[in-house]
Amino acid sequence: MIANSSTTIRFLLASRQCELNSLRYLLQRGELVGKISQLVHMLQRERGTSNMFLCAGEGQFADELSLRERDVAQAQAPLLAQLDTLESQIATSPQASRLFSHVASVIYALSLLPALRQQIRQRKLPLPQAMSFFNDIIRHLLSLVFELTDTAAEPDISRALIAMFSFMQGKEFAGQERAIAAAAFAAGQFSEETRLKLLDLIEHQERCFATFADFADEQHRLRWQQVQTDSQFERLRRIACTGREGFAADSGLRWFALATQRIDAMKQEEDTLAETLMAHCRARIAAAEQASHQQQADIESLMPQPEEEESRYSVFIDNHGWLESGGVRPQLGRSLLTLVQQQSRRLQALDTELAALRETLNERKQIERAKSLLMQHRQLSEEEAYKTLRSMAMNQNKKLVEIAGAMLAVADVFPLLPRE
Amino acid sequence: MIANSSTTIRFLLASRQCELNSLRYLLQRGELVGKISQLVHMLQRERGTSNMFLCAGEGQFADELSLRERDVAQAQAPLLAQLDTLESQIATSPQASRLFSHVASVIYALSLLPALRQQIRQRKLPLPQAMSFFNDIIRHLLSLVFELTDTAAEPDISRALIAMFSFMQGKEFAGQERAIAAAAFAAGQFSEETRLKLLDLIEHQERCFATFADFADEQHRLRWQQVQTDSQFERLRRIACTGREGFAADSGLRWFALATQRIDAMKQEEDTLAETLMAHCRARIAAAEQASHQQQADIESLMPQPEEEESRYSVFIDNHGWLESGGVRPQLGRSLLTLVQQQSRRLQALDTELAALRETLNERKQIERAKSLLMQHRQLSEEEAYKTLRSMAMNQNKKLVEIAGAMLAVADVFPLLPRE
C-alpha cells in the first residue's frame, strides 16, 4: 500500500461503509426492541392473570391463564428467532460481549417459564414468589433493551431509544401495580405493606415517564400528555392506596380491566415510539446511502489520471490548519481535502453530541447498578434500595449519582451475605 | 430456537468469543500504536534536519536529509501494511467509522510528503511553513493514536494506552522544541517570538508528562522520573529561552545532538511502554482463553442428557434476586445460573471501571476539540488556543472542561472566517 489519493479515498469509503453498517445494525436493534416490547407486554398480562388465578378459588382464571401463555409463546417466537440471527454477528467490540451476556440472561430466565407455570398451576408457589419470577424475567428483558440503547451511535436515535426504554420501564411499574392490586382486590384486603408498595410503584411510574418526556421528541411528549387517566381507574387506585373505603366484590375484575385498558394504551404509545424509531433509522440510512453515492460520484470525477504523478503537486496549508496540495492538478488535492475534512468533522460533531448523551445515560446506569448492588448484598427490594440511595444522598447533601458512584467504587468491600 | 439450557450456553459462549475477539483486536491496535510511534519518531527527526537544512548554507545537510527520508520510508512501510489489513475489518461499530476517517486523514497527510520534500529541497517553502507541514502530519498520526486509545475496552490496557498517548504527545512537543531551537541556533539568533514559543513548548511537555504519570503504572512512572536531564542540554535550553547569552557557532549542531539524545531516550521509554502494553494484551488474551476453556469444560460436564425434560425442573429464587431452577437435576440449573451470573457481573464491573475512565478521557477530548475549534475559526496557534481557553476558565472561575464544553455547545454559531 502507498500513501496517495487512491488510498485516501479507499479509507474514506471504508469509513462511510462502517457508518452505513452501523446504521443498519441500529435498525435491527430497533426491531429487536419492538419485539421485546411485545413479549414484555404479554408477560405482564400473564403475570396479572396468574396473580388473579392464585388468589381466586379453584377453577377460576385457568382458561384465561392458558390464553395468556399462548400469547407469550406467540410473542416469544419472533424474538428468539431474531436473537438467533444475532448470534452469527460475533463482533470484535466489547459491547457485543455485553450484549450476548444479556441475551444469555434473558434466555436463561425464559427457559424457566415452563417450570414456573407448572408450579403456579399446581399452586405450589406462593403468590409473591410467582410474581417476583415474572418481574425478574421482565427485568432481564428490560436490561437487554437498555444494553441495546447504550450502544447506539446516532444522537437522535439514541435519544429515541432512551425515551422508549424509559417508557417501557414506566409501563412495567404500571404492570406491577396492576398485578399487586389485582391480587389484593381478589383477596379482599389491602395490607399496609401492599399500600406502601403501590404508592412506590406510582412514584416510580411518574419518574420513568418524566425521563421519557426528557428524551422523547415534541410529538410523542404531547401525545402522552393528552392521554387522560380514567376517573374510574383513579377511584379504584385511591381505594387501593388508602385502604379506607370498602369495595364491591367485583372490584378486582373491574380494576384489572381498567388497569389493562390503561396499560394497553401505553402499549399503543410504545408501538408508536417503536415506529418512529424505525422511521428515524430508515431515514438516516437513506440519507447516508444518498451521501455515499454522492461521495462516490465526487470521487470518480476526481480520480487522478494514471499518467499524472502526484508528487508533482505543490503543497500549501489552508486557513484552517489543514495540509492542502495544489500545483498541476489543484482541484484534486483541494476536493480530496474537502472530502476528508467533511467526513472527519461530521463524525466529530456526532461524537461530541453522543458523549454528552452518554454521560447522562451513564449517570442513570450507575444509579441502576448501585441499586442492584444493594438489592443483592442487603437483600433489599428495588424500592428499598432506591430509597436507601436517596436518603443517603439527601443526608449528605449530594447528588444521587455521586452516592451511586461512591457505592460502586467500594463495591468490592461489601460483605456478601451468606447463602441460606 | 427455543429458550433452554443449550441456547443459554450458546450465548454465553458467544459473549466469551466476542470478548476474546475484542482483546485480539486490541493487541492489533497496540501493534499499530507501536508502528505509529516509530514513524512519528522518524518524521520528528526529518523535521529537525530539514529545519537545519533550510537555515544552513547551500550544500549542507542535504545528505542527512536523504538519510532521514529513507528512515521515514522504512518506518512508513510497515504502518501502511498494517493499515491495509485493517481495511478488511469493516465493522458495524461507529468507532470503526471514526477510525477509518482518521486513517484517511493520515494517508492524505502522508501522501503530501513527496511534494513537501521537493519544495524543501528547492528552498521554495519558508521554514515556518515547512515545519508546520511536518507538525500537521504528526498531529494526524497522534490523532489516530488517540482514536485507537478511545475504543479500548480493558481498563488496564486503556490506561496504558492513554499513558502512551500522553507520552507521545509530550515527545512531540520536545521534537518541536528541538526543531525550532535548532533553526534559531543555525540562524544565529532567537527572536522574542521564538523564545516565547520555546517556553510554551516546555510547558506543554511538562503537562503531557504529568498526564502520562497519572495513567502509567508505578514501574514506568518511576523509570521516567529517573531519566536525568543532561546539564549541557539544560544550559543550551536556557540560552535559547532567555536569549541573553551569546553562543558558539557550533551550538546548533550541539543542541541538535543533545536534544536528539534526549528524544531518543524518550523513544526508548516509549518502546518500553509499547512492550508493556503488548504484554498486557497477551496476558489478558491468555487468561481469557484459559477461562474460556474452563467454561467450555464446565459446560460439557453440565449439558443435560437428551432424555431429560427441562420443564420438569422446579424453580426458586436465590438470595441475590436471580431465578434459579432446581428439581430433577438441580446442579445443572444452579451451575448454569452461576455461569450466567459470573459473565454478567464480570462484564458489568469492567464496564463501570471503563465508564469512569471514559469520563476522564472525554474531558480531555473536549478540551482538545475546543482548542482545534479555536485554531480553525480564530486562526490561533495551538498554544494561543489553549491559553484562550485557560484564561476564559480562570476569569469565570470554571473548570477548563466546562469552558470547552460550552464552546463546543455553541460551535455552530461561530462565524467562519472567510477564505483568503
Side-chain angles (χ1 to χ4, degrees), chain B residues 24-150:
Chain B
R24 292 195 187 113
Y25 188 47
L26 205 51
L27 182 65
Q28 279 180 31
R29 282 180 288 178
E31 284 164 1
L32 205 54
V33 170
K35 285 170 187 157
I36 295 173
S37 147
Q38 186 64 21
L39 177 56
V40 165
H41 188 60
M42 293 310 169
L43 283 168
Q44 284 165 343
R45 232 187 239 180
E46 185 181 347
R47 174 179 58 195
T49 308
S50 86
N51 269 12
M52 309 254 281
F53 170 86
L54 287 171
C55 284
E58 205 71 54
Q60 278 187 283
F61 297 106
D63 295 344
E64 283 87 342
L65 214 47
S66 302
L67 289 174
R68 297 294 80 82
E69 287 178 14
R70 196 205 52 193
D71 291 346
V72 167
Q74 270 176 12
Q76 185 177 290
L79 174 63
L80 290 182
Q82 201 185 342
L83 290 177
D84 204 17
T85 65
L86 205 69
E87 202 209 347
S88 63
Q89 303 176 355
I90 297 277
T92 53
S93 74
Q95 286 90 349
S97 179
R98 279 209 310 278
L99 181 64
F100 284 125
S101 167
H102 277 286
V103 172
S105 300
V106 160
I107 305 269
Y108 178 76
L110 288 174
S111 75
L112 302 178
L113 254 182
L116 170 65
R117 284 171 179 156
Q118 211 173 326
Q119 293 190 47
I120 289 172
R121 292 276 186 178
Q122 295 165 359
R123 295 177 190 275
K124 277 192 191 158
L125 216 57
L127 185 142
Q129 244 190 331
M131 183 163 162
S132 72
F133 262 99
F134 278 108
N135 295 357
D136 234 46
I137 298 173
I138 294 170
R139 189 165 58 79
H140 283 299
L141 282 163
L142 290 179
S143 292
L144 181 56
V145 173
F146 191 71
E147 186 59 41
L148 290 165
T149 307
D150 197 28

Side-chain angles (χ1 to χ4, degrees), chain B residues 228-238 258:
Chain B
Q228 292 294 318
T229 316
D230 184 86
S231 62
Q232 277 196 46
F233 171 79
E234 282 300 334
R235 207 181 66 80
L236 286 175
R237 209 184 210 185
R238 204 176 56 236
L258 289 169

Side-chain angles (χ1 to χ4, degrees), chain A residues 315-326:
Chain A
V315 282
F316 51 92
I317 217 154
D318 82 346
N319 286 331
H320 308 293
W322 276 75
L323 291 169
E324 208 171 287
S325 80

Side-chain angles (χ1 to χ4, degrees), chain A residues 1 3-4 7-8 10-12 14-15 18-19 21-22 25 80 83-84 87 90-98 100-101 103-105 107-112 114-116 118-119 132-133 136-137 139-140 153 311 313-317 319-325 333-334 336-337 340 343-345 347-348 351-352 355 359 362 365 369 376 379 408 416 419-420, chain B residues 1 3-4 7-8 10-12 14-15 18-19 21-22 25 80 83-84 87 90-98 100-101 103-105 107-112 114-116 118-119 132-133 136-137 139-140 153 311 313-317 319-325 333-334 336-337 340 343-345 347-348 351-352 355 359 362 365 369 376 379 408 416 419-420:
Chain A
M1 191 170 101
N4 60 13
T7 320
T8 308
R10 262 174 54 200
F11 280 98
L12 274 181
S15 170
C18 287
E19 214 187 334
N21 286 354
S22 90
Y25 188 47
L80 290 181
L83 290 177
D84 204 18
E87 203 210 349
I90 297 278
T92 53
S93 74
Q95 287 90 348
S97 179
R98 278 209 311 278
F100 284 126
S101 167
V103 172
S105 300
I107 304 270
Y108 178 74
L110 288 174
S111 75
L112 302 179
L116 171 64
Q118 208 173 329
Q119 293 190 46
S132 73
F133 261 100
D136 234 46
I137 298 174
R139 189 165 59 80
H140 284 299
S311 61
Y313 305 150
S314 63
V315 282
F316 51 92
I317 217 154
N319 286 331
H320 308 293
W322 276 75
L323 291 169
E324 208 171 287
S325 80
R334 186 167 299 208
L336 193 54
L337 173 67
V340 172
Q343 180 83 343
S344 153
R345 286 197 189 131
L347 292 176
Q348 225 173 61
D351 192 44
T352 302
E359 210 174 295
N362 190 31
K365 194 155 66 175
R369 288 203 181 141
Q376 281 177 27
Q379 314 272 43
L408 292 171
L416 256 166
R419 283 179 79 97
E420 271 159 43
Chain B
M1 192 169 100
N4 60 13
T7 320
T8 308
R10 261 175 57 201
F11 280 98
L12 273 181
S15 170
C18 287
E19 214 187 334
N21 286 355
S22 90
Y25 188 47
L80 290 182
L83 290 177
D84 204 17
E87 202 209 347
I90 297 277
T92 53
S93 74
Q95 286 90 349
S97 179
R98 279 209 310 278
F100 284 125
S101 167
V103 172
S105 300
I107 305 269
Y108 178 76
L110 288 174
S111 75
L112 302 178
L116 170 65
Q118 211 173 326
Q119 293 190 47
S132 72
F133 262 99
D136 234 46
I137 298 173
R139 189 165 58 79
H140 283 299
S311 61
Y313 305 150
S314 63
V315 281
F316 52 90
I317 215 153
N319 285 331
H320 309 292
W322 276 75
L323 291 170
E324 209 171 289
S325 80
R334 185 167 298 206
L336 193 53
L337 172 67
V340 172
Q343 180 83 344
S344 153
R345 286 197 189 134
L347 292 176
Q348 224 173 63
D351 192 44
T352 302
E359 209 174 296
N362 191 30
K365 195 154 68 175
R369 287 201 182 145
Q376 281 178 26
Q379 314 272 44
L408 292 172
L416 256 167
R419 282 180 80 99
E420 269 159 42

Side-chain angles (χ1 to χ4, degrees), chain B residues 191-202:
Chain B
S191 67
E192 174 73 10
E193 197 195 332
T194 303
R195 277 182 283 134
L196 288 177
K197 180 122 187 112
L198 288 172
L199 285 171
D200 263 347
L201 287 170
I202 293 170

Side-chain angles (χ1 to χ4, degrees), chain B residues 182-227:
Chain B
F185 273 119
Q189 61 168 350
F190 285 85
S191 67
E192 174 73 10
E193 197 195 332
T194 303
R195 277 182 283 134
L196 288 177
K197 180 122 187 112
L198 288 172
L199 285 171
D200 263 347
L201 287 170
I202 293 170
E203 193 198 321
H204 275 50
Q205 284 172 59
E206 278 162 13
R207 219 166 49 230
C208 288
F209 292 127
T211 307
F212 155 76
D214 285 348
F215 286 96
D217 61 24
E218 190 73 6
Q219 184 204 342
H220 285 102
R221 195 164 43 240
L222 290 177
R223 259 184 72 114
W224 176 238
Q225 278 168 3
Q226 280 157 11
V227 171

